[in-house]
Amino acid sequence: MNTKESMTIKEKLAQSKEEMETLLVNRKPSVGIILGSGLGDFAHEIKDPIQIPFEQISFMGKSTANSHVGQFVCGMIEGHCVLAMQGRLHGYEGYSAQEVAYPVWLMHELGITTLITTNAAGAINQSYRVGDFCIMYDHINFTGRNPIANREATEIGPRFFSLYHAYDEALRKCAMQVAQSHDIRAHEGVYLAVLGPSFETAAEIRMFGDWGADTVAMSVVEEVIAARQVGMRVMGMSLCTNMGCGIEASNPDDEEVVEVAAQKLPEFSTIIKGVVASI
Ligand code: HPA
């Protein structure tokens, strides 16, 4: 038997997969959904749910962030078997980029081919309003980290791969159509990720805007990079819970983020369900 230290990432994933499959019995999820800050209650929409706390699975980190429950929820949405993460792992909790990406690689091992990753974000684009959704069409990785930048990365997939069109066009267009048909304000935009956990300065927000970023938050990009390495279809969606620091004198705080997310949960659910139905 391997000791934890001597196991390769492939061996760890195989063990985690076996544990997940035992708990999932015969369920075979095909869609992964990562629920960001304040958005975890979407898991209540999942029919016939099985809950698996992250700590029941070897090599998974535990959620420490406010409003992140820290469990997998598997069940049915719009006729599809989904595996949702009610809460995620962040770099600002002290997790390495590889630890943040681990559940995405685990989803891939379980046969999941589509990843929908969501978060709460600050809006940088001044035509956006608090409560708007932003469907990602590209990202800027300003975390300084990349889950593939380690010696084991090539066990999982290629070291070098393109992030051109990383966000699936059909899923993006579908999300926009669903939003439009329900009179939900939504945009397609460029998402910029920072490490956090401090919010940005007003000067940083101005700079990110000059770079072409429409939204900013502290997650998502490491998951998306990991998913693209193994060829998953990806959709990313932010809920703008606040304007970026300094815009309209915004001074973001964590409570506001969770409060706005809770208010917007019905609209969030409408978009996600519409997209899942289209898969
Ligand atoms: N900045 C970074 N992360 C965030 C923000 C923000 O303004 N809002 C929600 N998450």
Side-chain angles (χ1 to χ4, degrees):
M1 170 112 179
N2 274 321
T3 61
K4 262 186 176 184
E5 289 71 32
S6 67
M7 286 174 80
T8 65
I9 190 152
K10 263 299 206 194
E11 290 166 342
K12 289 177 183 172
L13 282 166
Q15 183 176 327
S16 302
K17 177 190 177 196
E18 200 178 307
E19 292 167 359
M20 285 290 287
E21 283 180 339
T22 303
L23 295 166
L24 290 174
V25 198
N26 287 321
R27 295 183 187 202
K28 294 255 171 269
S30 59
V31 180
I33 305 176
I34 303 179
L35 299 169
S37 295
L39 301 168
D41 280 352
F42 175 77
H44 300 317
E45 302 274 344
I46 298 174
K47 305 237 160 47
D48 195 15
I50 291 180
Q51 282 103 357
I52 305 173
F54 293 164
E55 51 262 40
Q56 279 188 20
I57 303 301
S58 302
F59 314 113
M60 270 293 297
K62 291 160 198 45
S63 276
T64 67
N66 184 16
S67 88
H68 289 251
V69 175
Q71 62 180 6
F72 292 104
V73 181
C74 184
M76 300 303 288
I77 293 274
E78 303 291 326
H80 292 265
C81 185
V82 306
L83 181 69
M85 285 173 67
Q86 204 176 8
R88 59 152 55 83
L89 308 173
H90 304 84
Y92 68 68
E93 296 173 85
Y95 290 114
S96 68
Q98 210 177 344
E99 286 167 328
V100 171
Y102 191 84
V104 174
W105 286 320
L106 178 56
M107 286 178 176
H108 171 68
E109 292 288 322
L110 290 167
I112 289 173
T113 50
T114 302
L115 176 70
I116 300 174
T117 179
T118 70
N119 68 350
I124 297 176
N125 185 318
Q126 301 207 20
S127 73
Y128 291 11
R129 294 187 207 148
V130 170
D132 287 2
F133 291 89
C134 184
I135 316 301
M136 297 170 201
Y137 75 77
D138 211 342
H139 75 221
I140 298 171
N141 180 2
F142 195 64
T143 65
R145 295 146 46 101
N146 188 311
I148 320 302
N150 65 76
R151 280 184 294 279
E152 294 187 312
T154 49
E155 286 181 30
I156 298 168
R159 169 168 280 164
F160 300 107
F161 56 95
S162 172
L163 288 178
Y164 192 45
H165 296 309
Y167 296 86
D168 187 89
E169 187 177 357
L171 295 177
R172 235 169 54 211
K173 297 291 171 209
C174 176
M176 289 300 290
Q177 263 165 20
V178 175
Q180 226 161 29
S181 64
H182 289 83
D183 280 331
I184 299 169
R185 280 179 57 96
H187 316 270
E188 285 186 75
V190 174
Y191 165 71
L192 184 143
V194 292
L195 183 60
S198 48
F199 288 101
E200 302 69 44
T201 64
E204 285 166 345
I205 292 292
R206 283 194 298 275
M207 179 180 74
F208 296 158
D210 288 345
W211 287 356
D214 296 297
T215 57
V216 58
M218 306 171 190
S219 58
V220 167
V221 292
E222 289 152 329
E223 298 156 358
V224 170
I225 292 168
R228 292 305 299 148
Q229 187 203 24
V230 293
M232 293 166 86
R233 282 178 92 185
V234 172
M235 185 187 120
M237 182 168 86
S238 300
L239 166 61
C240 300
T241 52
N242 56 278
M243 298 309 288
C245 177
I247 299 178
E248 299 163 10
S250 167
N251 186 12
D253 72 64
D254 194 32
E255 270 173 39
E256 171 188 30
V257 167
V258 175
E259 218 173 273
V260 174
Q263 283 164 16
K264 286 285 171 174
L265 198 65
E267 294 181 4
F268 174 86
S269 301
T270 299
I271 300 175
I272 299 297
K273 282 180 168 177
V275 171
V276 172
S278 79
I279 292 171

